[in-house]
Amino acid sequence: AQTVTQSQPEMSVQEAETVTLSCTYDTSESDYYLFWYKQPPSRQMILVIRQEAYKQQNATENRFSVNFQKAAKSFSLKISDSQLGDAAMYFCATVTSGSRLTFGEGTQLTVNP
Amino acid sequence: EAGVTQFPSHSVIEKGQTVTLRCDPISGHDNLYWYRRVMGKEIKFLLHFVKESKQDESGMPNNRFLAERTGGTYSTLKVQPAELEDSGVYFCASSQAGGLNYGYTFGSGTRLTVV
């Protein structure tokens, strides 16, 4: 079974600054994917970034990047140049061959102007 | 392309009543998933359809929950009779193919409140 842990229920950041959201996971699978999803007040779950476990290079998507430490089973999300629109609940998730997503508890990010 | 559509967006029912949630996946997506988030907790898997067949329903909490996917198109999730602990946000997601290299598209969820 997979588990995902997000130890920061809430985080805040000043606009234009950088923030890092933490995520650790546990899986016995060798082949898996990791995701960060964003859920704004509209409730639509939006994929932010995806990392394939067999790739050592950290994924990046514009202002969003991850620090993937496979041995430590850590998958943190860094948001650079934070914008007001980044305010949302962020969920870390993993998926293996069973195809179901396993989510963490979420981190509520506040962006202060 | 239309996204994943869920309705109603919000439902308030009394304990003991029945509620049916509906999910319309993206056209052509064979895989359909239901997830639930109870207030303040993680999002948990409920079940997975491949076309009209239940691939994995191990996350269904009990037999008060019944999911169907007619003709491999839209899906319904019925809760009968509803209990207070069923309150939460129910998400539906769809994907085009199985395997690990795919993307999920989520709906906006149905917020269910049982009073």
Side-chain angles (χ1 to χ4, degrees):
Chain A
Q2 293 79 44
T3 61
V4 177
T5 302
Q6 293 177 249
S7 59
Q8 307 154 317
E10 297 177 344
M11 290 283 284
S12 63
V13 63
Q14 290 297 127
E15 195 175 3
E17 295 190 344
T18 296
V19 64
T20 298
L21 308 184
S22 301
C23 172
T24 58
Y25 63 94
D26 193 17
T27 180
S28 57
E29 302 281 337
S30 58
D31 194 12
Y32 54 92
Y33 279 62
L34 295 158
F35 304 87
W36 277 98
Y37 281 91
K38 166 185 175 181
Q39 186 187 29
S42 66
R43 288 209 311 257
Q44 178 80 48
M45 292 277 280
I46 301 165
L47 178 65
V48 175
I49 200 164
R50 181 175 75 173
Q51 174 79 42
E52 296 152 77
Y54 66 85
K55 287 189 176 179
Q56 292 189 339
Q57 186 173 6
N58 289 326
T60 62
E61 287 288 340
N62 300 315
R63 298 181 296 106
F64 299 87
S65 62
V66 299
N67 183 4
F68 176 44
Q69 302 289 327
K70 190 172 184 178
K73 295 184 177 175
S74 171
F75 182 62
S76 61
L77 174 69
K78 185 171 83 171
I79 306 174
S80 304
D81 185 25
S82 297
Q83 300 176 1
L84 295 178
D86 295 334
M89 179 71 80
Y90 286 81
F91 291 98
C92 178
T94 182
V95 66
T96 63
S97 58
S99 84
R100 65 161 81 174
L101 286 163
T102 300
F103 287 90
E105 302 90 339
T107 297
Q108 181 68 51
L109 178 66
T110 301
V111 181
N112 300 310
Chain B
E1 166 183 87
V4 176
T5 305
Q6 291 187 248
F7 52 91
S9 60
H10 192 186
S11 179
V12 181
I13 61 171
E14 293 184 350
K15 176 182 172 180
Q17 289 187 324
T18 298
V19 63
T20 300
L21 315 180
R22 173 167 168 152
C23 169
D24 286 66
I26 290 174
S27 178
H29 280 196
D30 288 340
N31 293 270
L32 187 149
Y33 306 82
W34 284 98
Y35 292 86
R36 174 176 76 170
R37 184 175 192 227
V38 173
M39 181 65 69
K41 304 212 175 218
E42 73 270 27
I43 301 169
K44 286 196 172 179
F45 168 83
L46 296 178
L47 87 159
H48 170 204
F49 283 100
V50 177
K51 296 185 179 178
E52 68 274 10
S53 300
K54 292 176 184 174
Q55 180 78 10
D56 179 358
E57 55 182 328
S58 61
M60 295 287 264
N62 52 60
N63 59 10
R64 296 185 293 102
F65 288 75
L66 174 64
E68 295 179 327
R69 189 177 182 193
T70 307
T73 56
Y74 70 91
S75 175
T76 57
L77 179 64
K78 182 163 73 173
V79 184
Q80 179 183 30
E83 298 289 344
L84 298 178
E85 64 265 24
D86 301 333
S87 296
V89 180
Y90 290 76
F91 291 100
C92 175
S94 70
S95 68
Q96 189 168 19
L100 296 185
N101 190 18
Y102 46 68
Y104 301 85
T105 303
F106 278 83
S108 296
T110 294
R111 181 178 297 279
L112 175 64
T113 304
V114 183
V115 297

